[in-house]
C-alpha cells in the first residue's frame, strides 16, 4: 500500500496519514470529502514503516468493495517529537536562561546545560543527555573569543553529529564556523544571543532552532526505512495543521485559535479572515507523554496550579513521561490526562499570544472560534471536555479573548487531513471534510 507506485487521481479518494511520535493515525477520505474510515497504530521505533503499513492497511479495509484502484497516500509526520537541546556557554545562569528563551515556541526543550571550557568528560556528559541539537553560545560581542573558539574546537573533534546553532561572540563567528565545518558539522549561524552583559536577545537563535526543528520533526528511523519514509513524507504535521487552520478561518469567516496537544509537543495556530497563512508556535516542553513533566513545571510557573494540586498530579505525570504508549483505562486516569492536556493548552496558548500579539490582550479583538486537537481530546467524554473548555474560559489571560467563542474538538481527526488535502489540490474535499466533521 505504501510502496512507490503510480500516482492516482482524486477520484480514488485519499488516505491521509499522520505519523506522530507515539501514534500513527490514518483516515480514508472519499473524493467528496466524506470520512470512510479511521485507524491508528502505535508508532514503531525499530522500523517506522511497520506501524505506517499497519495503519494504512487497517484504514484501507474500509474501501468500497467495487473500488479496485488504491487511494492516493498523503502523509505528514511529527515522529521526531520535540527537539532535545543541549546548551554550551560561558556562564551557567546566562546559558540556562538563553537556552530556555531560545527554545521556547521553537519546538525545543533544554535537556542539558554546560558552562565554561568543554573537557572530554563534559562532552561525554553532553552526549549522554541525547540531544537533537546544540546551542553554542559564549561571550558578549567584544569579549575575549578564546572560550567560544575552544568549545567550537572541542565540538568539532567530538563524536557527535547533532546540528549546532552558533549564537555567540560575533567577532569570533567566522573562526568558530570554520572550526566546526572543517570536520563536517552541520552549523546554523545566527546573532549573538547575549550580545551585551546582562542582555538576552533570543529571537535570532529561536528562528535558527525552529529551522533545525523543521528538519528534525519529520523523523524517519532506521537505515533501511528512512529512504522510503522520506519519499513518502514531505510535510511536517505542524504545516498540515497550519494549512487546515487557515482553511477553517476561510470557511467560518472567524478568527481561529487551534491548540494541538500531542504526546511530545503542543502546537498553537491562529489565523484571521483575510490574514493569509496561519501563525504557528510549537512548544517542545509541553505534551501529555514525553513532555508531561514540563507541563507541570510551567503550569506552576504560570500560577495555574497550586502546590497541593501539583503534588497530586506528580505520580500521574511521572507515569506519562516514562510510558509514552500509556492509555488510561479508568475514569480517574482519563481525568488526569485531560487536566494535563488542559494545562498544556493554556500555557501554550498564552505563549502563542505573547509571541503574535502586540500590546495588551484586551486591546485586541476576541477570538471567534477555538479548536482543540490531539488524541486526549478525541476520547468522547462530554463532561470531561466541558471541564477542559472551562479551564480555557476561566483563565485570566485567555478568558477575555475566548469568552464568546465556540470551543470545538477535532474528534474526527479532520484538521490535519484537510491541510494535506489543500496542499495536494483537493480543496473541495478539504472543505467538505471540515464542514461535515468539525464546523457542522
Amino acid at each position: 500500500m505504501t510502496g512507490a507506485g503510480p500516482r492516482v487521481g482524486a477520484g480514488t479518494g485519499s488516505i491521509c496519514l499522520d505519523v506522530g511520535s507515539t501514534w500513527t493515525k490514518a483516515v480514508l477520505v472519499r473524493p467528496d470529502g466524506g470520512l470512510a474510515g479511521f485507524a491508528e497504530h502505535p508508532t514503531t521505533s525499530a522500523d517506522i514503516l511497520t506501524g505506517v503499513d499497519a495503519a494504512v492497511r487497517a484504514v484501507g479495509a474500509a474501501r468500497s468493495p467495487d473500488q479496485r484502484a488504491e487511494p492516493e497516500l498523503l502523509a505528514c509526520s511529527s515522529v521526531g517529537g520535540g527537539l532535545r537541546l543541549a546548551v554550551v556557554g560561558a556562564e551557567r545562569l546566562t546559558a540556562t536562561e538563553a537556552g530556555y528563551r531560545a527554545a521556547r515556541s521553537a519546538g525545543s526543550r533544554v535537556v542539558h546545560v554546560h558552562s565554561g571550557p568543554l573537557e572530554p568528560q563534559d562532552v561525554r556528559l553532553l552526549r549522554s543527555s541525547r540531544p537533537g541539537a546544540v546551542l553554542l553560545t559564549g561571550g558578549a560581542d567584544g569579549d575575549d573569543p578564546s572560550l567560544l573558539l575552544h568549545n567550537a574546537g572541542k565540538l568539532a573533534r567530538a563524536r557527535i553529529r547533532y546540528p549546532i546553532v552558533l549564537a555567540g561572540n560575533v567577532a569570533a563567528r567566522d573562526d568558530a564556523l570554520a572550526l566546526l565545518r572543517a570536520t563536517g558539522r552541520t552549523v546554523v549561524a545566527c546573532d549573538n544571543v547575549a550580545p551585551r552583559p546582562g542582555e538576552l536577545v533570543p529571537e535570532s537563535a529561536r528562528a535558527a532552532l525552529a529551522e533545525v526543528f523543521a528538519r528534525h520533526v519529520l523523523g524517519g528511523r532506521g537505515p533501511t526505512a528512512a529512504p522510503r519514509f522520506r519519499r513518502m513524507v514531505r510535510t511536517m504535521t505542524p504545516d498540515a495543521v497550519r494549512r487546515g487552520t487557515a482553511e477553517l478561518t476561510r470557511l467560518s469567516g472567524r478568527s481561529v485559535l487551534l491548540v494541538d496537544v500531542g504526546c511530545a509537543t503542543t502546537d498553537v495556530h491562529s489565523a484571521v479572515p483575510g490574514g493569509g497563512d496561519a501563525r504557528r508556535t510549537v512548544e517542545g516542553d509541553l505534551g501529555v507523554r514525553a513532555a508531561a513533566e514540563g507541563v507541570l513545571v510551567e503550569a506552576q510557573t504560570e500560577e495555574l496550579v497550586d502546590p497541593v494540586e501539583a503534588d497530586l498530579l506528580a505520580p500521574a505525570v511521572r507515569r506519562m513521561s516514562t510510558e509514552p504508549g500509556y492509555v488510561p483505562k479508568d475514569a480517574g486516569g482519563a481525568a488526569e490526562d485531560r487536566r494535563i492536556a488542559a494545562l498544556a493548552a493554556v500555557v501554550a496558548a498564552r505563549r502563542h499570544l505573547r509571541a503574535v500579539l502586540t500590546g495588551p490582550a484586551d486591546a485586541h479583538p476576541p477570538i471567534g472560534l477555538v479548536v482543540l486537537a490531539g488524541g486526549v481530546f478525541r476520547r468522547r467524554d462530554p463532561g470531561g471536555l466541558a471541564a477542559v473548555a472551562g479551564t480555557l474560559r476561566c483563565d485570566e489571560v485567555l478568558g477575555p479573548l475566548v469568552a464568546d467563542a465556540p470551543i470545538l474538538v477535532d474528534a474526527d481527526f479532520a484538521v490535519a487531513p484537510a491541510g494535506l488535502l489543500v496542499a495536494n489540490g483537493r480543496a473541495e474535499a478539504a472543505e467538505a471534510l471540515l464542514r461535515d466533521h468539525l464546523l457542522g
Side-chain angles (χ1 to χ4, degrees):
M1 179 73 75
T2 57
R7 183 178 175 91
V8 294
T12 63
S14 305
I15 290 179
C16 296
L17 180 75
D18 177 14
V19 186
S21 61
T22 304
W23 293 93
T24 295
K25 289 84 63 182
V27 292
L28 178 61
V29 184
R30 295 192 296 265
D32 62 2
L35 276 182
F38 171 83
E40 62 182 342
H41 190 279
T43 299
T44 46
S45 57
D47 179 353
I48 193 171
L49 288 170
T50 300
V52 166
D53 291 342
V56 171
R57 281 195 304 270
V59 79
R63 282 188 297 165
S64 171
D66 59 355
Q67 182 184 333
R68 296 186 178 181
E70 291 187 355
E72 182 175 20
L73 179 66
L74 309 176
C76 60
S77 171
S78 59
V79 70
L83 181 66
R84 294 170 62 88
L85 182 66
V87 184
V88 176
E91 189 272 322
R92 187 168 189 83
L93 184 60
T94 300
T96 301
E97 184 64 16
Y100 180 79
R101 291 177 60 179
R104 177 173 288 182
S105 299
S108 308
R109 61 186 173 113
V110 176
V111 296
H112 178 75
V113 178
H114 171 83
S115 58
L118 280 168
E119 300 301 338
Q121 66 270 21
D122 302 318
V123 175
R124 288 194 294 269
L125 187 60
L126 184 152
R127 283 203 307 263
S128 72
S129 69
R130 299 179 294 107
V134 176
L135 176 64
L136 177 57
T137 71
D141 293 342
D143 281 357
D144 180 354
S146 59
L147 176 63
L148 179 62
L149 294 176
H150 168 88
N151 287 341
K154 287 290 186 181
L155 291 173
R157 295 188 296 273
R159 290 184 292 108
I160 62 172
R161 294 296 175 190
Y162 328 119
I164 296 170
V165 174
L166 178 59
N169 187 336
V170 68
R173 180 186 300 152
D174 290 346
D175 287 342
L177 272 173
L179 285 168
L180 291 163
R181 288 178 173 166
T183 55
R185 298 294 177 262
T186 299
V187 188
V188 181
C190 58
D191 297 339
N192 192 349
V193 73
R196 288 165 289 278
E199 181 181 1
L200 292 177
V201 185
E203 288 76 16
S204 180
R206 184 181 298 133
L209 283 171
E211 179 183 331
V212 174
F213 169 77
R215 295 194 296 267
H216 157 84
V217 73
L218 283 171
R221 305 171 187 172
T224 58
R228 181 178 163 215
F229 184 77
R230 288 170 185 159
R231 289 194 300 270
M232 183 193 312
V233 180
R234 302 295 177 86
T235 303
M236 65 175 182
T237 302
D239 274 349
V241 177
R242 176 178 58 83
R243 287 180 180 271
T245 302
E247 184 69 4
L248 270 176
T249 303
R250 184 186 70 81
L251 294 175
S252 67
R254 304 175 180 180
S255 60
V256 173
L257 180 73
L258 185 145
V259 187
D260 186 2
V261 181
C263 292
T265 66
T266 295
D267 311 343
V268 184
H269 307 256
S270 64
V272 297
D277 281 346
R279 304 278 303 269
R280 176 184 71 225
T281 51
V282 180
E283 307 302 337
D285 62 334
L286 305 176
V288 289
R289 290 298 178 267
E293 291 182 343
V295 176
L296 198 54
V297 169
E298 292 302 307
Q300 292 175 86
T301 300
E302 296 269 356
E303 298 183 344
L304 297 173
V305 298
D306 59 31
V308 174
E309 184 181 10
D311 286 343
L312 291 173
L313 288 172
V317 165
R318 282 193 294 272
R319 180 170 187 175
M320 292 174 190
S321 61
T322 56
E323 298 181 37
Y326 166 66
V327 177
K329 304 296 185 184
D330 60 287
E336 290 169 333
D337 250 21
R338 285 192 300 270
R339 179 58 174 161
I340 294 299
L343 293 171
V346 171
V347 174
R350 282 185 173 192
R351 290 181 183 177
H352 179 86
L353 294 174
R354 290 172 190 144
V356 305
L357 296 182
T358 57
D362 57 9
H364 295 268
I367 293 163
L369 176 66
V370 177
V371 178
L372 299 175
V376 171
F377 302 129
R378 288 199 299 274
R379 299 174 201 149
R380 301 172 190 271
D381 183 329
L385 293 173
V388 174
T391 300
L392 272 64
R393 293 194 192 281
C394 294
D395 182 66
E396 62 181 23
V397 176
L398 301 180
L401 292 173
V402 305
D404 299 319
I407 298 179
L408 306 181
V409 174
D410 185 19
D412 292 338
F413 186 54
V415 177
L420 285 171
L421 291 167
V422 169
N424 287 274
R426 310 285 191 265
E428 291 184 0
E431 178 175 338
L433 178 64
L434 291 173
R435 287 193 186 281
D436 293 345
H437 294 276
L438 187 59
L439 293 175

